[in-house]
PDB file of all heavy atoms in Angstrom:
ATOM      1  N   MET A 266      -8.651 -13.372   7.355  1.00 91.00           N
ATOM      2  CA  MET A 266      -9.239 -14.696   7.523  1.00 91.00           C
ATOM      3  C   MET A 266      -8.199 -15.782   7.758  1.00 91.00           C
ATOM      4  O   MET A 266      -8.467 -16.791   8.406  1.00 91.00           O
ATOM      5  CB  MET A 266     -10.092 -15.044   6.283  1.00 91.00           C
ATOM      6  CG  MET A 266     -10.937 -16.309   6.427  1.00 91.00           C
ATOM      7  SD  MET A 266     -12.259 -16.119   7.649  1.00 91.00           S
ATOM      8  CE  MET A 266     -13.346 -15.012   6.769  1.00 91.00           C
ATOM      9  N   GLU A 457     -30.900   2.266  33.438  1.00 90.00           N
ATOM     10  CA  GLU A 457     -31.348   1.044  32.760  1.00 90.00           C
ATOM     11  C   GLU A 457     -32.322   1.411  31.657  1.00 90.00           C
ATOM     12  O   GLU A 457     -33.273   2.170  31.872  1.00 90.00           O
ATOM     13  CB  GLU A 457     -32.009   0.092  33.762  1.00 90.00           C
ATOM     14  CG  GLU A 457     -32.403  -1.227  33.139  1.00 90.00           C
ATOM     15  CD  GLU A 457     -32.880  -2.228  34.161  1.00 90.00           C
ATOM     16  OE1 GLU A 457     -32.967  -1.883  35.362  1.00 90.00           O
ATOM     17  OE2 GLU A 457     -33.159  -3.383  33.780  1.00 90.00           O
ATOM     18  N   MET A 462     -30.778  -5.962  22.960  1.00 85.00           N
ATOM     19  CA  MET A 462     -30.526  -6.488  21.628  1.00 85.00           C
ATOM     20  C   MET A 462     -29.288  -7.377  21.612  1.00 85.00           C
ATOM     21  O   MET A 462     -28.742  -7.695  20.552  1.00 85.00           O
ATOM     22  CB  MET A 462     -30.372  -5.339  20.615  1.00 85.00           C
ATOM     23  CG  MET A 462     -29.240  -4.399  20.877  1.00 85.00           C
ATOM     24  SD  MET A 462     -29.192  -3.092  19.627  1.00 85.00           S
ATOM     25  CE  MET A 462     -27.726  -2.205  20.109  1.00 85.00           C
ATOM     26  N   PHE A 481     -20.717  11.673  25.802  1.00 96.00           N
ATOM     27  CA  PHE A 481     -20.712  10.224  25.671  1.00 96.00           C
ATOM     28  C   PHE A 481     -21.940   9.801  24.871  1.00 96.00           C
ATOM     29  O   PHE A 481     -22.924  10.555  24.743  1.00 96.00           O
ATOM     30  CB  PHE A 481     -20.735   9.561  27.057  1.00 96.00           C
ATOM     31  CG  PHE A 481     -22.043   9.737  27.782  1.00 96.00           C
ATOM     32  CD1 PHE A 481     -23.054   8.775  27.678  1.00 96.00           C
ATOM     33  CD2 PHE A 481     -22.290  10.857  28.567  1.00 96.00           C
ATOM     34  CE1 PHE A 481     -24.268   8.936  28.337  1.00 96.00           C
ATOM     35  CE2 PHE A 481     -23.493  11.016  29.228  1.00 96.00           C
ATOM     36  CZ  PHE A 481     -24.495  10.062  29.112  1.00 96.00           C
ATOM     37  N   GLY A 486     -30.535  -0.892  23.196  1.00 89.00           N
ATOM     38  CA  GLY A 486     -31.652  -1.449  22.457  1.00 89.00           C
ATOM     39  C   GLY A 486     -32.612  -0.427  21.908  1.00 89.00           C
ATOM     40  O   GLY A 486     -32.909  -0.423  20.703  1.00 89.00           O
ATOM     41  N   ILE A 578     -12.298   8.523  10.844  1.00 94.00           N
ATOM     42  CA  ILE A 578     -13.312   7.481  11.045  1.00 94.00           C
ATOM     43  C   ILE A 578     -13.130   6.420   9.964  1.00 94.00           C
ATOM     44  O   ILE A 578     -12.982   6.744   8.770  1.00 94.00           O
ATOM     45  CB  ILE A 578     -14.725   8.082  10.999  1.00 94.00           C
ATOM     46  CG1 ILE A 578     -14.882   9.137  12.116  1.00 94.00           C
ATOM     47  CG2 ILE A 578     -15.793   7.001  11.128  1.00 94.00           C
ATOM     48  CD1 ILE A 578     -16.162   9.922  12.040  1.00 94.00           C
ATOM     49  N   PHE A 587     -12.623   1.828   4.169  1.00 93.00           N
ATOM     50  CA  PHE A 587     -13.070   3.177   3.834  1.00 93.00           C
ATOM     51  C   PHE A 587     -12.709   4.128   4.989  1.00 93.00           C
ATOM     52  O   PHE A 587     -12.654   3.715   6.150  1.00 93.00           O
ATOM     53  CB  PHE A 587     -14.574   3.226   3.599  1.00 93.00           C
ATOM     54  CG  PHE A 587     -15.044   2.297   2.513  1.00 93.00           C
ATOM     55  CD1 PHE A 587     -15.435   0.990   2.810  1.00 93.00           C
ATOM     56  CD2 PHE A 587     -15.092   2.720   1.199  1.00 93.00           C
ATOM     57  CE1 PHE A 587     -15.870   0.135   1.811  1.00 93.00           C
ATOM     58  CE2 PHE A 587     -15.528   1.871   0.190  1.00 93.00           C
ATOM     59  CZ  PHE A 587     -15.908   0.569   0.498  1.00 93.00           C
ATOM     60  N   MET A 588     -12.483   5.363   4.595  1.00 93.00           N
ATOM     61  CA  MET A 588     -12.181   6.386   5.595  1.00 93.00           C
ATOM     62  C   MET A 588     -13.072   7.593   5.373  1.00 93.00           C
ATOM     63  O   MET A 588     -13.319   7.994   4.226  1.00 93.00           O
ATOM     64  CB  MET A 588     -10.710   6.812   5.530  1.00 93.00           C
ATOM     65  CG  MET A 588     -10.327   7.824   6.591  1.00 93.00           C
ATOM     66  SD  MET A 588      -8.559   8.163   6.599  1.00 93.00           S
ATOM     67  CE  MET A 588      -8.367   8.905   4.987  1.00 93.00           C
ATOM     68  N   LEU A 603     -29.894  28.543  16.441  1.00 91.00           N
ATOM     69  CA  LEU A 603     -30.782  29.669  16.143  1.00 91.00           C
ATOM     70  C   LEU A 603     -32.232  29.210  16.100  1.00 91.00           C
ATOM     71  O   LEU A 603     -33.122  29.862  16.660  1.00 91.00           O
ATOM     72  CB  LEU A 603     -30.372  30.319  14.810  1.00 91.00           C
ATOM     73  CG  LEU A 603     -31.228  31.493  14.339  1.00 91.00           C
ATOM     74  CD1 LEU A 603     -31.179  32.632  15.351  1.00 91.00           C
ATOM     75  CD2 LEU A 603     -30.764  31.990  12.967  1.00 91.00           C
ATOM     76  N   ASP A 604     -32.488  28.092  15.455  1.00 90.00           N
ATOM     77  CA  ASP A 604     -33.862  27.564  15.377  1.00 90.00           C
ATOM     78  C   ASP A 604     -34.372  27.162  16.757  1.00 90.00           C
ATOM     79  O   ASP A 604     -35.578  27.235  17.016  1.00 90.00           O
ATOM     80  CB  ASP A 604     -33.904  26.367  14.433  1.00 90.00           C
ATOM     81  CG  ASP A 604     -33.589  26.767  12.982  1.00 90.00           C
ATOM     82  OD1 ASP A 604     -33.744  27.967  12.668  1.00 90.00           O
ATOM     83  OD2 ASP A 604     -33.174  25.900  12.192  1.00 90.00           O
ATOM     84  N   GLN A 709     -42.269  64.795  38.056  1.00 82.00           N
ATOM     85  CA  GLN A 709     -42.845  63.649  38.748  1.00 82.00           C
ATOM     86  C   GLN A 709     -42.008  63.358  39.997  1.00 82.00           C
ATOM     87  O   GLN A 709     -40.965  62.720  39.920  1.00 82.00           O
ATOM     88  CB  GLN A 709     -42.865  62.421  37.838  1.00 82.00           C
ATOM     89  CG  GLN A 709     -43.695  62.607  36.577  1.00 82.00           C
ATOM     90  CD  GLN A 709     -43.597  61.411  35.641  1.00 82.00           C
ATOM     91  OE1 GLN A 709     -42.922  60.427  35.943  1.00 82.00           O
ATOM     92  NE2 GLN A 709     -44.286  61.497  34.510  1.00 82.00           N
ATOM     93  N   SER A 728     -20.537  63.980  27.522  1.00 87.00           N
ATOM     94  CA  SER A 728     -19.135  64.116  27.936  1.00 87.00           C
ATOM     95  C   SER A 728     -18.206  63.230  27.122  1.00 87.00           C
ATOM     96  O   SER A 728     -16.985  63.367  27.257  1.00 87.00           O
ATOM     97  CB  SER A 728     -18.989  63.766  29.428  1.00 87.00           C
ATOM     98  OG  SER A 728     -19.761  64.621  30.222  1.00 87.00           O
ATOM     99  N   ILE A 774     -22.848  85.236  37.091  1.00 88.00           N
ATOM    100  CA  ILE A 774     -22.903  86.649  37.498  1.00 88.00           C
ATOM    101  C   ILE A 774     -24.339  87.155  37.456  1.00 88.00           C
ATOM    102  O   ILE A 774     -24.777  87.891  38.355  1.00 88.00           O
ATOM    103  CB  ILE A 774     -21.979  87.490  36.592  1.00 88.00           C
ATOM    104  CG1 ILE A 774     -20.509  87.167  36.903  1.00 88.00           C
ATOM    105  CG2 ILE A 774     -22.249  88.971  36.781  1.00 88.00           C
ATOM    106  CD1 ILE A 774     -19.523  87.880  36.026  1.00 88.00           C
ATOM    107  N   CYS A 852       2.958  92.542  42.255  1.00 91.00           N
ATOM    108  CA  CYS A 852       3.513  92.783  40.912  1.00 91.00           C
ATOM    109  C   CYS A 852       4.893  93.435  40.988  1.00 91.00           C
ATOM    110  O   CYS A 852       5.804  93.100  40.215  1.00 91.00           O
ATOM    111  CB  CYS A 852       2.571  93.655  40.084  1.00 91.00           C
ATOM    112  SG  CYS A 852       0.974  92.886  39.757  1.00 91.00           S
ATOM    113  N   ALA A 918      13.692 115.987  46.648  1.00 85.00           N
ATOM    114  CA  ALA A 918      15.109 115.645  46.738  1.00 85.00           C
ATOM    115  C   ALA A 918      15.511 114.733  45.582  1.00 85.00           C
ATOM    116  O   ALA A 918      16.606 114.856  45.026  1.00 85.00           O
ATOM    117  CB  ALA A 918      15.393 114.956  48.074  1.00 85.00           C
ATOM    118  N   SER A1155      50.291 100.946  26.586  1.00 78.00           N
ATOM    119  CA  SER A1155      50.139 100.097  25.388  1.00 78.00           C
ATOM    120  C   SER A1155      50.162  98.610  25.712  1.00 78.00           C
ATOM    121  O   SER A1155      50.277  97.781  24.810  1.00 78.00           O
ATOM    122  CB  SER A1155      51.266 100.411  24.390  1.00 78.00           C
ATOM    123  OG  SER A1155      52.523 100.032  24.939  1.00 78.00           O
TER     124      SER A1155
END
Side-chain angles (χ1 to χ4, degrees):
M266 189 68 71
E457 184 172 3
M462 61 181 183
F481 69 93
I578 300 172
F587 302 91
M588 183 174 64
L603 179 61
D604 294 339
Q709 299 175 1
S728 300
I774 290 177
C852 296
S1155 66

